[in-house]
Amino acid sequence: MSEEKLLAKNLFDYSKTIAAQLLEGIEYPWEALSRIGDFIIELGKTLDPEIYEQRGENIWVAKSAKIYDSAYLGGPLIICEDAEVRHCAFIRGNAIVGKGAVVGNSTELKNSILFDGVQVPHYNYIGDSILGYKAHTGAGTITSNLKSDKSLVTVLFEGEKFDTNVKKFGAMLGDHVEVGCNSVLNPGSVIGRNTSIYPLSFVRGYVEENSIYKRLGEVAEKI
């Protein structure tokens, strides 16, 4: 199998996230999930107080970020410059919200990294996931992060199951991925860079970069 397609470095531009040092120390992106909280705590201590303010235990928010009063912020958490956390957003902790990113109305976020420019703007659940530079999820998109039988998550890749050895793993969205409204990204979904997912999609496993996912088993190359 050409497993290099699953490597974090082939999904993400590390220059577009404050979490670059974390990602540079792993091979496959899901390996970062168990390390997000500790990484935030250590990084937070080094952040420039001219740019960031501490808003509780292990919570750092850029002074230029816009946080609605009704949003809930749980730590460990870093919200970067010019990000926006909207009405009734629920951030449960172990989360990094990149520069200019949007966490929208009633969106729930936990144990995840949002690269710069990511938008999860309407009624989304993003759990145990990493969303690359300027990735966007349409309204109602869900990253399902736990299998119904609670077994370890595998990634379906080129007809075979690739072991991850993790129990909770939502989705890895490469840079510039677009996900249509009301789609479900099942545990172990990995979407290559510059790929578009049709609305109401049921996604499982690896989806090739530079493609259009229409339905399970039907993927077209972008022209």
Side-chain angles (χ1 to χ4, degrees):
M1 295 191 296
S2 51
E3 297 163 1
E4 286 195 358
K5 294 179 179 180
L6 299 176
L7 295 176
K9 67 181 182 180
N10 292 327
L11 293 169
F12 310 121
D13 177 355
Y14 296 165
S15 71
K16 303 298 186 180
T17 177
I18 200 171
Q21 187 176 1
L22 171 60
L23 296 171
E24 287 166 354
I26 53 99
E27 285 190 297
Y28 297 103
W30 52 85
E31 295 171 355
L33 296 176
S34 64
R35 310 180 193 183
I36 294 173
D38 290 340
F39 176 79
I40 290 171
I41 292 170
E42 293 306 310
L43 180 60
K45 298 173 185 177
T46 71
L47 295 175
D48 185 348
E50 294 295 317
I51 299 175
Y52 289 85
E53 61 183 2
Q54 193 162 359
R55 295 195 182 184
E57 186 175 4
N58 299 323
I59 298 174
W60 292 270
V61 178
K63 296 176 182 179
S64 62
K66 182 177 181 180
I67 312 297
Y68 283 60
D69 291 339
S70 57
Y72 176 86
L73 307 182
L77 170 65
I78 294 174
I79 298 177
C80 297
E81 298 163 78
D82 302 315
E84 185 173 346
V85 180
R86 294 175 177 167
H87 176 68
C88 289
F90 179 28
I91 301 181
R92 289 167 49 190
N94 289 349
I96 294 174
V97 179
K99 292 180 181 179
V102 174
V103 180
N105 174 30
S106 301
T107 290
E108 182 175 348
L109 177 66
K110 56 90 67 172
N111 201 50
S112 295
I113 298 171
L114 307 186
F115 274 55
D116 300 346
V118 166
Q119 294 187 354
V120 287
H122 310 288
Y123 306 102
N124 303 122
Y125 174 69
I126 308 297
D128 301 281
S129 298
I130 301 176
L131 279 59
Y133 179 57
K134 288 194 173 180
H136 172 266
T137 58
T141 295
I142 301 297
T143 61
S144 177
N145 61 336
L146 181 66
K147 295 174 66 175
S148 58
D149 62 2
K150 311 300 190 295
S151 62
L152 297 179
V153 174
T154 58
V155 176
L156 184 62
F157 181 74
E158 297 185 353
E160 298 186 33
K161 292 181 178 180
F162 188 88
D163 292 329
T164 68
N165 297 314
V166 295
K167 187 175 180 180
K168 288 191 174 183
F169 168 0
M172 304 291 146
L173 306 187
D175 299 334
H176 300 284
V177 165
E178 290 279 345
V179 181
C181 295
N182 289 322
S183 293
V184 175
L185 309 179
N186 284 276
S189 294
V190 180
I191 315 299
R193 285 172 163 155
N194 304 309
T195 284
S196 297
I197 306 294
Y198 268 19
L200 297 173
S201 289
F202 176 91
V203 181
R204 179 171 176 252
Y206 175 73
V207 181
E208 190 71 45
E209 65 179 24
N210 299 311
S211 64
I212 300 172
Y213 181 100
K214 299 181 178 181
R215 60 181 62 85
L216 193 63
E218 186 176 350
V219 180
E221 183 179 358
K222 279 188 175 179
I223 300 175

